[in-house]
Structures are given as structure tokens and as C-alpha cells.
Amino acid sequence: MASEKQYIDLYEQSRAMINAHSSAVMNEIRETAFEDFKRQGFPSRKVERYKYTDMDKLFEPDYGVNVNRVEFPINPYSVFSCDVPNLSTSLYFVVNDSFYKKALPKVGLPEGVGVMSLKDASEKDPETIAKYYGKIAKTSEDAVTALNTMLAQDGLFIHVAKNVKVDRSIQVVNILRSDVDLMVNRRVLIVMDEGAEAKLLFCDDSADDRHFLGTQVIEAYVGENASLDLYCLEETHEKNTRVSNVYVDQQANSRLNHNVITLQNGITRNKLDLVFKGEGAECWCNGCVIADKSQHVDNNTLIDHQVGHCVSHELYKYVLDDKAVGAFAGRVLVRHGSQKTESDERNQNLVMTKQARMFTQPMLEIYADDVKCSHGSTVGQLNDAAMFYMQQRGIDEHEAKLLLEFAFIGEVIDRIKLEPLRDRLHQLVEKRFRGELGRCSNCQICK
């Protein structure tokens, strides 16, 4: 197809330049990724995990790609100011797909914690990066992951050493910045050593009113007895297309709290692949989607119970208005011998108009006989009795609708453990339902 050919041609013509502006570790698997991409091509809607989003159409436009690593003029520390009350974070920036290192947070991180450019980290400590980079994000199994791996030249590396507990949350703001339509390929590698604990907040924002196409691959290794809270908040605009693949490897007795929140976007396709590698591990995977106009949000998850005595919780909620399209496909796989597995999966959706569409497909695949697993989904509209009850007590129809929508989505927000972020998201969600921008008022890039 033409959309695949332009990326194949781009790589073949720019191979030397791509390698020159990256590192040996990242280059080492680049050719394999290229061959995997050529072999697979973009998945059609006949592929089960991509049935709700036309990937070929997303990648068809001719975007610019900054393979020569031209620097875009921006100082994010001077234009970005987060107004979340009491959210004391160590703040870092990724501009398009490059770690911003001209200025760093004044408050240092504890010893044993590193947040840095992936390229720099792989040159400084190639053995550690080579041990983890590209190991769970397999290019042979996913064409978007292969495309990202063959084009990514830098990224973000976060490492928390053994038994180190990071009290201050680490916030990473991903800023899209360009004077022309642009494709970015962002790469993130997170390594949590045994007993480590950290809270990470990723915020996606756009500084320019251009068409952006972003691929993102996150690999997160959660070691034995480690704990990771990973929050991903998207507030971009309708010209933004985001394709994100998150891969998580959990070892024995580890904990993961993963939250993906889509408040403003154009087209979003999120994939989560989580594997339990050690017994006693537990995860909470939550999603919150508010979409209107012609927005499209597709969340696809796989939770793979490869060993027994693990627990997974999954809750995704959507509120769709106007002509928005939502999709959720969640598969929980319990393999042979994975006894004493516990899993619950729920997808609940409000469709506010006849033009909006929601596709939902929760799945359980169980090959063990001593388990407690449940799944379910609902698609509906606001409760007429509740609306009538509120109007009888003097609340007009519009306000009653907003209150019910807010209460519906609040269950997901309440699962966020980071209290200042939870409180701020309650405000953002309410403003979103009221049609207000809902971003930080003192931040120039949000205007």
C-alpha cells in the first residue's frame, strides 16, 4: 500500500542519517524492525486487535519527519506552568520525540533515580539499555511497534534503583511543536528495580495548531516487590493523531496502577499489553474517555496471566457525544497452570446521541480451573428516572445531564491514588462536559 511504501522509502533514503543521530543500542535492532515492518505492513481491520481503527488511513497523509534532528525553538520551562494545587512534581519535558535537557528541575531526584535522554543513557550505559530496550515491545508482532523502532532516534529513560522509593511524583510533559505537519516517534523505557516505588505522570499537549501524527512505544519493567503508578493524560486537539503501545512486564509481588485519560484529542489508538511473570503480582488498569464532535478513541488491552496467584482489575468508561466513535476491546488470558487467578474486567459506556457509536468487546480466555474471573460491558443512555427525579427538584435538564455524566465518569477518576491529580481531574472533567477548555490558565502552550 502507498502508506507503507512512503515509510519504507523514507527509511531506505535516510538510513544513514537516522543512525547517525541515534545510538548504537537503538541502531542495533533498527534493521530487524525495518524488515518486520516491510513483512507485516499496516494491519487491516481484518486483524482482530485493529478491527475498530483504520490504521492505513491514519498513516496515509504525507507528514514531515525530523530525521536530521533540527531543533524546534521552544523553552518549555518558560511557557508551561501546571496549576494543579499541591501537585509537587519533578517536571521534565519531551519536545516532539526528544528529551529536553537544556534545563532540568531545580529539585533533584533521590540517589538511585535517573530521568534522562534514552540516547544519552544508551551511550553512557549501553549494557543496561541493551538488556531491556526492545525486549517486550516485539517488532515481529506489531507493525506500529516496528515502525516506531525503525524510526525512533531518541526518547526517555526512567530508572529507579533497588529499594528506592520516590516520594515526589515525576511529571513528563510531551509537547508537540512544529511549523509544519509533523510525524513524531516517541520512545519510553521505564525500569523499576526490585522493591522500587514511583509515580509517573505523562501529559500530552500541543503547542501548535498543526496536524500531528505520533507513534509512542512505552516499555515498563516492574521488578519483584516494586510498585509503579503510571498516569497518561491526553489534552491535545482535533488535528492530533496518537497511536500508543504500552508494554508492561510484572515480576513477583509487584504492583501496577495504570490510568489512561483522554479529554481532548482527534484520533487516539491506545494498546496495552501486560504480562504477569511472577506470582503474587497485581494490577489496576483504568481508562476514562470523554469524546464529542468527530473524535475517535480506541483502547485495546491484553492482560496475560502467565503464572498463578495474580490479580487484575480493569475498568474503562466512555462518554460519547455528537458523532464521536469509541471502541474498547479487552482480553484477559489465563494460561495453563495459572491457578488461583483473580480477574475482573468492566467496560461501561454512555452514548448521548443517535450519531455517536460505541464498540465494545470484553473477552475472557481461561485454561485453568481454579480461578475467579468476571467480565462485562454496558452501552446505554442516561437514566430517564434519574433525569426526571433531578428536574422535579428544580435542576434544569442541561445541568441534570452534566451532573449524571460527571457522576458516571467519577468512578474512574476516584481510582487515581495521586490525590492532587485526582482533585484536579474532577475539575477538568466537569469543565470538559461544560464545553470549556479546562486547561491550566497560566500556561502559554494551552492557549
Side-chain angles (χ1 to χ4, degrees), residues 111-319:
E111 185 178 352
V113 182
V115 179
M116 66 189 74
S117 156
L118 179 59
K119 175 178 177 291
D120 291 350
S122 58
E123 291 173 344
K124 181 181 178 181
D125 187 4
E127 291 185 3
T128 297
I129 303 303
K131 179 180 178 181
Y132 296 103
Y133 181 69
K135 294 300 186 293
I136 55 175
K138 294 182 172 60
T139 60
S140 60
E141 298 177 2
D142 186 273
V144 175
T145 297
L147 178 66
N148 176 279
T149 305
M150 81 187 206
L151 295 178
Q153 295 168 279
D154 193 8
L156 175 69
F157 176 55
I158 299 176
H159 178 222
V160 184
K162 182 177 179 180
N163 295 327
V164 174
K165 295 175 173 55
V166 187
D167 295 327
R168 179 186 292 267
S169 300
I170 297 172
Q171 183 178 10
V172 178
V173 178
N174 298 312
I175 297 178
L176 295 170
R177 166 74 182 94
S178 179
D179 298 323
V180 298
D181 294 350
L182 185 70
M183 176 187 187
V184 302
N185 299 284
R186 188 181 305 127
R187 195 73 181 220
V188 181
L189 177 60
I190 302 167
V191 178
M192 305 288 296
D193 288 345
E194 179 182 347
E197 294 183 11
K199 296 180 178 66
L200 309 180
L201 170 59
F202 291 162
C203 303
D204 281 16
D205 287 291
S206 177
D208 293 297
D209 186 26
R210 307 297 308 189
H211 287 92
F212 291 97
L213 169 63
T215 71
Q216 174 178 264
V217 172
I218 298 177
E219 295 179 281
Y221 295 83
V222 189
E224 188 172 345
N225 294 305
S227 177
L228 173 63
D229 287 7
L230 179 58
Y231 305 100
C232 300
L233 172 63
E234 182 180 6
E235 285 186 285
T236 53
H237 55 60
E238 61 185 13
K239 294 181 180 179
N240 186 59
T241 298
R242 176 180 186 264
V243 183
S244 175
N245 291 351
V246 178
Y247 299 88
V248 182
D249 183 307
Q250 283 193 246
Q251 298 297 322
N253 302 307
S254 62
R255 299 290 180 269
L256 172 76
N257 185 15
H258 178 255
N259 297 263
V260 55
I261 302 154
T262 306
L263 296 184
Q264 297 274 6
N265 76 308
I267 300 175
T268 297
R269 208 278 175 172
N270 297 316
K271 186 178 85 160
L272 169 67
D273 282 14
L274 185 150
V275 180
F276 288 117
K277 290 290 187 66
E279 294 188 354
E282 189 167 5
C283 75
W284 292 261
C285 301
N286 307 307
C288 165
V289 174
I290 302 172
D292 54 17
K293 301 176 183 175
S294 298
Q295 294 170 314
H296 178 106
V297 184
D298 177 359
N299 283 293
N300 189 291
T301 69
L302 168 62
I303 299 179
D304 188 352
H305 289 260
Q306 292 191 357
V307 296
H309 297 273
C310 292
V311 180
S312 63
H313 312 271
E314 193 168 10
L315 174 64
Y316 278 73
K317 286 195 171 188
Y318 290 62
V319 177

Side-chain angles (χ1 to χ4, degrees), residues 6 16 21 59 75 83-84 111 116 199 238 242 257 271 285 305 326 353 366 370 382-383 399 401 412:
Q6 67 174 319
H21 289 282
F59 287 89
N75 180 359
D83 67 353
V84 180
E111 185 178 352
M116 66 189 74
K199 296 180 178 66
E238 61 185 13
R242 176 180 186 264
N257 185 15
K271 186 178 85 160
C285 301
H305 289 260
T353 67
I366 303 173
D370 187 4
L382 291 177
N383 186 285
E399 191 67 20
K401 171 177 171 288
V412 177

Side-chain angles (χ1 to χ4, degrees), residues 17-35:
M17 188 180 298
I18 292 172
N19 287 334
H21 289 282
S22 191
S23 68
V25 174
M26 299 182 73
N27 293 340
E28 187 175 348
I29 62 173
R30 199 179 301 279
E31 285 298 322
T32 299
F34 175 57
E35 293 300 325

